[in-house]
Amino acid sequence: MNKKYVLALSLVLFCFVAVAFADDLPWEKKLPFKHATIQYDLSGNEHGKETLYIKDYGKLRAKYHKATATIMGMTNKTETLEITDPDWISTYNLTDKTGSKITNPYKLYQAEYSKLSRTEKRNFEKNSKELGASMLGKFGGSVKPSSAQILGYDCDVTTVTGMSTTYTLHGTDIPLRSEISAMGMNSSTTATQIDTATAIPDNTFSPPVGISALENQEMETMSRDSIMQVIDTLKEPDGAQKMQNFTPAMGSGGMQERMEADGMSPDEQQEMMRQMEEAMKQMQKRRPQQ
């Protein structure tokens, strides 16, 4: 991963991680079910299946992903496992037998938030709500709570004009459908089944045999630096305004121009889009202020 790519990706993650605090503090939220297994179909540039296992009201998650992707005429098969617990997000490439991990960002946010004074916490929460609405506006976004149903569940619908539409289980961060379209790449992820009755074996959340997740120091540093900058900015009385001034308006066209200017390869652009897709899925549960 080249330096320019890291800087560009850092900007994207910085923008979206701020939006993630537009409503209640995320580490205080619980899912409406203790455990669940959700099956997804993948279509578009990527065809395949995904299964999300959830335990302990969302504190423990395992996402199994198996698909074939075609980008710019090149076809690649992917098979991955992502395990999220309160401490780590670990990603395993089951084809290459490699793994990496970073500290769960919510853990870092919670630790830094706990250090704030009472006044700084009030500023942080106020600025987060203000910033969430303004950031969605910058990306041409809107949120319509409980405006659709998928598999019998109410969904909040978040639209980022020209880039994505995400249907999320109401009041949570669990996407049941997402449609991403940008830079000639299109992907759709749709839940086909939700099972909240069947118990999930503990080994579902265990690392794959023979693969170790090594700490990704580059991503770890980038994540920690971004989080510190967000906390340090939003704890100030005018933190929301400072963050808005820092963050440029950037739709899909602007993002494409930035990546091309950075000289990113097609593979790097694809990884950027994957990171953006994951980041956008964290926006959908937030409520812009009316």
Side-chain angles (χ1 to χ4, degrees):
M1 186 183 296
N2 62 45
K3 184 177 181 181
K4 291 181 179 179
Y5 173 65
V6 172
L7 292 175
L9 179 56
S10 180
L11 176 61
V12 173
L13 296 181
F14 180 80
C15 294
F16 281 100
V17 80
V19 176
F21 287 81
D23 197 8
D24 298 333
L25 299 175
W27 55 79
E28 296 176 351
K29 283 182 171 289
K30 285 186 177 181
L31 300 183
F33 37 70
K34 185 174 183 180
H35 59 262
T37 300
I38 306 178
Q39 305 285 350
Y40 297 89
D41 277 345
L42 310 177
S43 60
N45 290 110
E46 189 175 45
H47 290 266
K49 302 287 185 180
E50 195 168 88
T51 304
L52 175 62
Y53 297 95
I54 298 169
K55 194 172 183 179
D56 196 15
Y57 297 100
K59 289 184 178 180
L60 190 59
R61 307 181 188 192
K63 182 168 65 178
Y64 290 78
H65 177 100
K66 187 173 184 179
T68 299
T70 302
I71 304 294
M72 301 183 71
M74 300 181 62
T75 299
N76 294 296
K77 292 184 178 181
T78 58
E79 187 173 359
T80 61
L81 165 61
E82 181 182 273
I83 299 175
T84 301
D85 62 35
D87 295 320
W88 299 98
I89 297 178
S90 303
T91 303
Y92 301 89
N93 186 319
L94 304 181
T95 302
D96 296 343
K97 307 298 183 183
T98 59
S100 64
K101 66 180 182 180
I102 63 169
T103 302
N104 189 325
Y106 283 172
K107 178 181 180 180
L108 299 177
Y109 266 111
Q110 188 174 14
E112 294 303 318
Y113 176 84
S114 67
K115 298 176 184 178
L116 301 181
S117 68
R118 181 176 300 179
T119 298
E120 289 173 335
K121 287 180 179 178
R122 285 198 297 266
N123 289 338
F124 180 88
E125 293 162 13
K126 174 183 70 69
N127 287 322
S128 297
K129 290 179 171 62
E130 292 177 6
L131 185 64
S134 66
M135 286 292 290
L136 277 173
K138 280 194 174 187
F139 283 85
S142 65
V143 178
K144 297 180 179 179
S146 298
S147 58
Q149 272 205 349
I150 295 178
L151 299 176
Y153 287 89
D154 286 342
C155 291
D156 304 332
V157 181
T158 297
T159 300
V160 179
T161 303
M163 293 184 70
S164 72
T165 300
T166 306
Y167 301 73
T168 315
L169 183 64
H170 176 61
T172 78
D173 63 346
I174 302 297
L176 297 185
R177 181 187 301 160
S178 65
E179 300 165 355
I180 309 294
S181 179
M183 296 165 48
M185 290 182 278
N186 298 278
S187 67
S188 178
T189 303
T190 304
T192 58
Q193 181 181 358
I194 302 175
D195 179 1
T196 60
T198 305
I200 304 172
D202 289 340
N203 61 8
T204 302
F205 305 93
S206 299
V209 176
I211 306 178
S212 298
L214 304 178
E215 189 170 352
N216 187 327
Q217 292 293 342
E218 190 173 47
M219 289 294 291
E220 184 78 15
T221 298
M222 184 172 64
S223 176
R224 288 180 182 273
D225 289 349
S226 296
I227 287 169
M228 289 296 297
Q229 191 167 6
V230 170
I231 291 284
D232 286 344
T233 303
L234 295 184
K235 73 180 182 181
E236 300 297 329
D238 58 347
Q241 184 60 50
K242 287 180 178 178
M243 190 77 81
Q244 291 174 43
N245 293 338
F246 175 84
T247 307
M250 202 163 28
S252 59
M255 179 58 68
Q256 183 174 8
E257 291 174 1
R258 179 176 293 272
M259 289 194 287
E260 290 176 350
D262 283 343
M264 292 169 58
S265 70
D267 285 346
E268 290 173 332
Q269 292 185 29
Q270 181 180 354
E271 175 62 13
M272 172 72 86
M273 291 304 299
R274 188 189 72 79
Q275 293 285 353
M276 287 180 63
E277 180 177 352
E278 290 300 315
M280 282 188 281
K281 288 177 181 178
Q282 299 304 315
M283 294 172 62
Q284 64 280 11
K285 65 180 175 179
R286 310 306 172 194
R287 306 287 185 272
Q289 298 299 298
Q290 302 297 325

